[in-house]
Structures are given as structure tokens and as C-alpha cells.
DNA sequence: AACACGGGGAC
DNA sequence: GTCCCAGTGTT
């Protein structure tokens, strides 16, 4: 297909059939940026409520910069990929401190913000400033591999490089907002992964995948490998009606979130109890499996009722004793929220 | 180049 | 259950 034909058809299609009512379809770069970060590896339906709540608490980049990391993480809790929230917070402070409170206006400058890579920077530059920059996200990769019949896993470097070059060659001379939004809309509403609606697609007559009936083979799947399993025991330590939460390190899984204390097995749980005071190990609850991209985590919940807390422990700086309902609201990982919810349901 | 990083929707 | 998504940062 001619490059110009692709862009012309896409823009015309977007104006009629594309999405025009998403809350982040604005020119305010702060709102565009926030939405793009939330939408990384996360679907629109999941983002909508988080976006509204976040914007209500932090209406401007200055408000976000003035917040604490805790406040930001609490509003992010449940969305996943928490480094996005920490980077967002750092980047807000960078905009205030290094860019004099004015959001940067070029792709290369925007790309310096932590958490903003090439595609996200290009999307912000296109939506907020109408600049001629190519995006390449999951939707675009699916559309391009199908329409142009590009073989190979799009995550492989040579394939990805080819897709970037193609994406740049397709850019229209103007109308970048409609074009960029059209690319995303086509991928999200028509060029679906499982059942693409080829009859509704403006590229259908020339789409390689459609012509060869290979929609199911493109984009090429990632070769999969076995997922390792990790086991952990999570302690539901309760003292005077409050549960103990500990801050996780900023790096690694659930970085920076409050979570339950962990150990390997019930023997270690006994030792933990001896260190922390006196009380009883209740029978452990049934295992809970949490699935990640790269491994599965099998959690054994171990409730502990403390009757006395050792003085040294009660003064630990990182110990957070909270009523269960407040603990849930504090921004804990999803499986921890489930466990605390089960406790509430069981006790009350 | 490969991996780490969450959660949820679609099937 | 499996696959994959509006990706980025680290190694």
C-alpha cells in the first residue's frame, strides 16, 4: 500500500468511526502524559476510574510534584507496574524543578522524563503539540504487521527496528492528532487480536493478513517458556485489632508498597512470633496463587494473634499497625488486599 | 538481546 | 488455565 494512502484512509476513518470522548483527549500535556503512563500495558476500561481519581487529587503537574510518594502510590494501588507511579512522581518534580514548571514540548525533551520512552514521548508530542512523531505500541505493531505482512515477533529487535522505520514512513504531513488517535483506535476497536473486524477496516482491501487469511498468525506470537513458581508465607499479624504492614523496598516486586511481612514456612513463622512477642499461630489459610508475567507466586496466609508485643519491636520505625479496613485503603498489592478482605469478612 | 515489572480482560 | 495488552528501565 502507498504510504500516503494509509495515512489518508486512517485519518478519514478516525474522524467518523474513531473515539472522540475519552477524558484524556485534550491538549493539556499533563493530562495527556498521565493518561499515556496509565495506559502503558493497561487497557482503557481499567484506566478510566484511576485517571479520574488521580486527576481529582492532582489536577496539575505542580500538585503532583508537591505530593508525597505515599499519596501517589495509594492512588495507583491496583493498577500494577508501580515503577510507573514512582517515575511519574519523579518526573513531575523534574518538570517543576528543571523545566520551570512548564511541560517540555519536544519529543526528545519529553523523553528525558523517567518512565517516558520513545513511543510515549511521541504520543504526548503528537496529542498535546501536534508534532510529527511516530508511535509504536502494541496496537500499532498489530496493525502494521497485519496490513504490511511483517513476519517475526514484534518484540525482537530487528523486527521492532523495521516497524519503527515503517511507522515513520507512514506519517502524514498534518493532522497528527487524528492520525495517531486513529492508529490506536483501529488497533483497539477493529484490528483486534482474536477476532478482527476486517469488514469495518479502512485497510481491508490491501491488508496482507486479510488477503492471505493469516489474521490469526500475525503478529507472530512470542515463543513461550515455562514459568517458575515461588512460594511465600504471608503473616497476618494482628495485635489489638490492628494488622502489621511493612514497607517493601523501592526496587523489585510491588516496589514501595505497604505489604504483609513474609517468611518461608511455618517454622520461620514460629521464630518470627518469638522475636516479636507472645501469641498464637492460627491454622494457615488455603493457598492463594498470584500470576505474574514471569512467574507465579503461591501465597500461604498465616494468621497470628499477638497477645503481647515485645518492646523493641513496637518501636520499629518501619512497623505500620493499622485497622484492617485502613490497611486495605493504604495501597497494598492485590493479593494482600484480598487476604485482608477475607479477614474482615471472617471476623465481622 | 533478554529480562523485570502487575493486573485484568478475552477466550 | 493461556495469551497479551496505549512500554520502560536495567543488565
Amino acid at each position: 500500500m502507498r504510504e500516503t494512502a494509509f495515512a489518508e484512509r486512517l485519518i478519514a476513518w478516525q474522524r467518523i468511526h474513531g473515539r472522540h470522548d475519552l477524558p484524556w483527549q485534550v491538549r493539556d500535556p499533563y493530562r495527556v502524559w498521565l493518561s499515556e503512563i496509565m495506559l502503558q500495558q493497561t487497557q482503557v476500561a481499567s484506566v478510566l476510574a484511576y485517571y479520574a481519581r488521580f486527576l481529582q487529587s492532582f489536577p496539575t503537574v505542580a500538585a503532583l510534584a508537591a505530593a508525597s510518594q505515599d499519596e501517589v502510590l495509594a492512588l495507583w494501588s491496583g493498577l500494577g507496574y508501580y515503577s510507573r507511579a514512582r517515575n511519574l512522581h519523579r518526573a513531575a518534580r523534574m518538570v517543576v524543578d528543571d523545566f520551570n514548571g512548564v511541560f517540555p514540548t519536544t519529543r526528545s525533551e519529553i523523553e528525558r522524563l523517567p518512565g517516558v520512552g520513545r513511543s510515549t514521548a511521541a504520543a504526548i508530542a503528537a496529542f498535546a503539540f501536534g508534532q510529527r512523531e511516530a508511535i509504536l505500541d502494541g496496537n500499532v505493531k498489530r496493525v502494521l504487521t497485519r496490513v504490511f505482512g511483517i513476519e517475526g515477533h514484534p518484540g525482537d529487535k530487528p523486527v521492532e527496528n523495521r516497524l519503527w522505520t515503517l511507522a515513520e514512513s507512514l506519517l502524514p504531513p498534518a493532522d497528527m492528532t487524528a492520525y495517531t488517535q486513529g492508529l490506536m483506535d483501529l488497533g483497539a476497536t477493529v484490528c483486534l487480536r482474536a477476532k478482527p473486524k476486517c469488514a469495518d477496516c479502512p485497510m481491508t482491501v490491501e491488508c496482507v493478513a486479510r488477503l492471505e487469511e493469516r489474521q490469526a498468525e500475525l503478529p507472530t506470537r512470542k515463543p513461550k517458556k515455562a514459568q517458575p513458581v515461588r512460594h511465600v508465607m504471608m503473616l497476618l499479624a494482628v495485635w489489638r485489632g490492628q494488622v502489621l504492614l511493612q514497607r517493601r523496598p523501592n526496587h523489585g516486586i510491588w516496589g514501595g508498597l505497604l505489604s504483609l511481612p513474609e517468611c518461608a514456612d511455618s517454622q520461620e513463622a514460629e521464630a518470627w512470633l518469638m522475636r516479636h512477642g507472645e501469641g498464637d499461630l492460627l491454622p494457615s489459610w488455603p493457598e492463594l496463587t498470584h500470576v505474574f508475567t514471569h512467574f507465579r507466586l503461591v501465597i500461604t496466609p498465616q494468621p497470628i494473634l499477638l497477645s503481647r508485643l515485645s518492646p523493641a519491636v513496637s518501636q520499629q520505625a518501619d512497623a505500620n499497625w493499622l485497622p484492617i479496613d485502613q490497611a486495605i485503603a493504604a495501597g497494598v498489592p492485590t493479593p494482600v488486599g484480598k487476604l485482608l478482605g477475607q479477614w474482615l469478612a471472617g471476623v465481622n
Side-chain angles (χ1 to χ4, degrees), chain A residues 29-176:
Chain A
Y30 170 65
R31 296 183 181 220
V32 174
W33 167 53
L34 175 62
S35 73
E36 291 300 329
I37 300 300
M38 285 189 165
L39 287 161
Q40 287 171 359
Q41 304 290 25
T42 309
Q43 295 177 358
V44 168
S46 305
V47 165
L48 283 169
Y50 282 88
Y51 178 82
R53 264 195 297 145
F54 203 95
L55 213 49
Q56 203 159 16
S57 295
F58 310 122
T60 63
V61 67
L64 177 57
S68 70
Q69 179 177 278
D70 270 5
E71 294 173 298
V72 177
L73 281 172
L75 283 169
W76 205 272
S77 173
L79 248 196
Y81 281 108
Y82 297 96
S83 64
R84 292 186 296 175
R86 296 194 304 275
N87 285 332
L88 191 78
H89 190 215
R90 273 208 294 146
R93 297 192 161 168
M94 198 181 290
V95 170
V96 169
D97 296 341
D98 300 352
F99 292 93
N100 207 16
V102 181
F103 207 93
T105 57
T106 65
R107 199 254 286 178
S108 61
E109 279 185 324
I110 297 169
E111 206 170 335
R112 290 194 205 131
L113 300 174
V116 179
R118 179 172 172 184
S119 188
T120 299
I124 298 169
F127 286 135
F129 305 113
Q131 295 186 12
R132 206 166 163 276
E133 299 284 354
I135 61 165
L136 188 63
D137 56 32
N139 280 330
V140 180
K141 285 175 178 175
R142 192 168 54 254
V143 169
L144 296 186
T145 53
R146 281 178 173 162
V147 172
F148 295 93
I150 311 277
E151 306 282 349
H153 179 57
D156 288 349
K157 208 57 185 172
V159 181
E160 190 169 22
N161 289 340
R162 192 176 161 197
L163 288 169
W164 271 116
T165 303
L166 176 59
E168 289 187 321
S169 75
L170 294 171
L171 290 176
D175 300 315
M176 277 303 296

Side-chain angles (χ1 to χ4, degrees), chain A residues 160-224:
Chain A
E160 190 169 22
N161 289 340
R162 192 176 161 197
L163 288 169
W164 271 116
T165 303
L166 176 59
E168 289 187 321
S169 75
L170 294 171
L171 290 176
D175 300 315
M176 277 303 296
T177 303
Y179 175 79
T180 305
Q181 189 66 51
L183 226 31
M184 294 175 171
D185 291 349
L186 193 65
T189 66
V190 172
C191 196
L192 305 175
R193 179 169 62 89
K195 291 181 179 175
K197 301 174 179 173
C198 298
D200 299 336
C201 180
M203 313 298 169
T204 194
V205 294
E206 291 182 89
C207 175
V208 171
R210 161 74 163 171
L211 292 172
E212 301 179 358
E213 295 188 52
R214 296 174 57 225
Q215 296 97 322
E217 282 83 68
L218 292 172
T220 307
R221 298 283 178 272
K222 178 185 182 135
K224 72 154 201 155

